[in-house]
Amino acid sequence: EAQVTQNPRYLITVTGKKLTVTCSQNMNHEYMSWYRQDPGLGLRQIYYSMNVEVTDKGDVPEGYKVSRKEKRNFPLILESPSPNQTSLYFCASRRGATEAFFGQGTRLTVV
Amino acid sequence: AQTVTQSQPEMSVQEAETVTLSCTYDTSESDYYLFWYKQPPSRQMILVIRQEAYKQQNATENRFSVNFQKAAKSFSLKISDSQLGDAAMYFCAYRSFRAGSYQLTFGKGTKLSVIP
């Protein structure tokens, strides 16, 4: 089954404790991206990747890092999480002009 | 930069009735894609319908159809014969047709309630 898998689905952490949210897709898609969703703001892009070892910033990249060492994986790294990074995070992938496929979302709470 | 505006934060519809969700966008480009995504309480983002700007014909998927007005930069979603399972957040999104365009620009969403 074609899918984008994020882990974990839920995470509560403390300020400053490094964390990684994983994202994996099994569709051989070139493009992958991370979004955060906040009430009243919709979804905003954090980072995207055009292919292996090629990444770039989206609209809200501050406080986040990404890497793309393999085509299928695109982890989101928070080196020092802060409460304003409490949000719902989505990973998405697509090939060319097709629509984006989204993961199930990760609900992150930073206390 | 492109912007997408959904002017209705919340809407409700009676079961079996028809409802229209509004979306307007701002762009200087002539070729682009427009999407409607549905987000039920499960949080999964589900593609409802897609429209290519170069196509004059409005897209249709079963009970879902769009009214695409390119000159007015309007892209509304009509849901016919509304069902309880249609209750969700609906997001309108824009993506450029331009090579190297990687970003989906989303509106802020419309929460749709379906009344039994």
Side-chain angles (χ1 to χ4, degrees), chain A residues 37 40 50 59 94 97 102, chain B residues 33 39 50 101-103 108:
Chain A
Q37 182 182 357
M50 295 77 79
D59 290 329
R94 67 177 173 91
F102 285 82
Chain B
Y33 300 96
Q39 186 181 46
R50 155 186 164 154
S101 174
Y102 306 106
Q103 183 171 356
K108 295 181 179 181

Side-chain angles (χ1 to χ4, degrees), chain B residues 18-32:
Chain B
T18 295
V19 64
T20 298
L21 309 184
S22 300
C23 173
T24 58
Y25 56 94
D26 186 27
T27 184
S28 58
E29 299 176 331
S30 57
D31 290 323
Y32 45 86

Side-chain angles (χ1 to χ4, degrees), chain A residues 26-89:
Chain A
N26 62 0
M27 296 168 280
N28 201 36
H29 286 170
E30 297 92 358
Y31 305 131
M32 297 186 74
S33 55
W34 276 102
Y35 294 85
R36 61 177 288 173
Q37 182 182 357
D38 301 291
L41 295 179
L43 283 81
R44 295 175 293 166
Q45 191 179 58
I46 304 170
Y47 267 96
Y48 61 91
S49 170
M50 295 77 79
N51 215 321
V52 176
E53 303 290 2
V54 184
T55 63
D56 207 347
K57 297 176 181 178
D59 290 329
V60 288
E62 293 77 21
Y64 304 94
K65 285 176 58 177
V66 294
S67 69
R68 187 96 181 268
K69 293 183 169 60
E70 305 166 280
K71 197 171 187 179
R72 63 182 291 126
N73 296 323
F74 189 45
L76 179 70
I77 303 156
L78 285 72
E79 294 269 2
S80 182
S82 63
N84 64 12
Q85 293 178 296
T86 293
S87 188
L88 177 60
Y89 291 86

Side-chain angles (χ1 to χ4, degrees), chain A residues 9-10 31 35 37 40 42-43 45 48 50 59 88 90 94 96-100 102-105 107, chain B residues 33 35 37 39 42-47 50 89 91 95 97 100-109:
Chain A
R9 296 286 307 278
Y10 300 90
Y31 305 131
Y35 294 85
Q37 182 182 357
L43 283 81
Q45 191 179 58
Y48 61 91
M50 295 77 79
D59 290 329
L88 177 60
F90 285 98
R94 67 177 173 91
T98 65
E99 68 271 17
F102 285 82
Q104 309 100 309
R107 171 73 70 186
Chain B
Y33 300 96
F35 305 89
Y37 280 90
Q39 186 181 46
S42 67
R43 302 183 331 213
Q44 182 71 41
M45 292 290 286
I46 302 165
L47 178 68
R50 155 186 164 154
M89 282 290 288
F91 291 97
R95 195 179 87 222
F97 204 81
S101 174
Y102 306 106
Q103 183 171 356
L104 270 172
T105 300
F106 286 88
K108 295 181 179 181

